[in-house]
Amino acid sequence: MRRSPTLLLATAALGVLALAGCATTEDKPADSAPAAGQPSGPPSADPFKDLPQGTPVAFKDLKAGMCSNHRGDVRSDQAVGTVDCATPHFFEVVSQVALPDAEGAEFPGDRGVMDRMRTACEPKLAPMIGSRRGALISLYLAPMDKKSWDAGNRLGHCGIAYAAPSTGTLAESGGQR
């Protein structure tokens, strides 16, 4: 059976959007190309362009119910700007998780970390996102590279990213927005 080019493109586009919120510990130069999922076209095409970056909060101090306009990679030693959820924002932290791997466990690789995050986050995110996948994207923030993992870091955050600026929180509304 031959697949439609439109279906393949849509599938690829959703894959890029789903990965856009995945955090990493890789160092990137400040002048590097836009992160996956960030528009590289004209500034007017980016609905998040002029949103405030907010108050910096250490990654480890992010909590459920916090909202942000940060996009791109995150390192575990980096602060993430948070904004009042009543103002337009890009994503919302829904929960904080500690991966169950023992401190001495071998580093599972980047994909292994994201697979573990998906397993830990999906029970909380799936009911909130439901049939709205595409308009609401599961977001996994897990800045664990081998060095961080070997140091015992197992902290990650589950969140929801929006396709357009949003106000309020899904956590407060029980996912009924």
Side-chain angles (χ1 to χ4, degrees), residues 47-127:
F48 300 101
K49 176 183 175 271
D50 296 322
L51 296 181
Q53 292 306 298
T55 305
V57 172
F59 178 85
K60 67 180 181 62
D61 294 329
L62 290 174
K63 303 284 184 242
M66 289 183 164
C67 296
S68 179
N69 289 314
H70 179 88
R71 294 183 291 161
D73 296 339
V74 176
R75 294 183 320 270
S76 58
D77 63 348
Q78 179 180 354
V80 175
T82 60
V83 297
D84 184 314
C85 294
T87 63
H89 54 273
F90 171 64
F91 79 86
E92 168 186 347
V93 177
V94 174
S95 66
Q96 186 178 66
V97 296
L99 299 183
D101 299 83
E103 191 168 323
E106 186 176 327
F107 178 62
D110 293 340
R111 184 175 193 130
V113 169
M114 285 296 108
D115 286 346
R116 285 165 171 75
M117 284 298 300
R118 186 176 301 105
T119 299
C121 291
E122 202 57 27
K124 181 73 173 176
L125 296 174

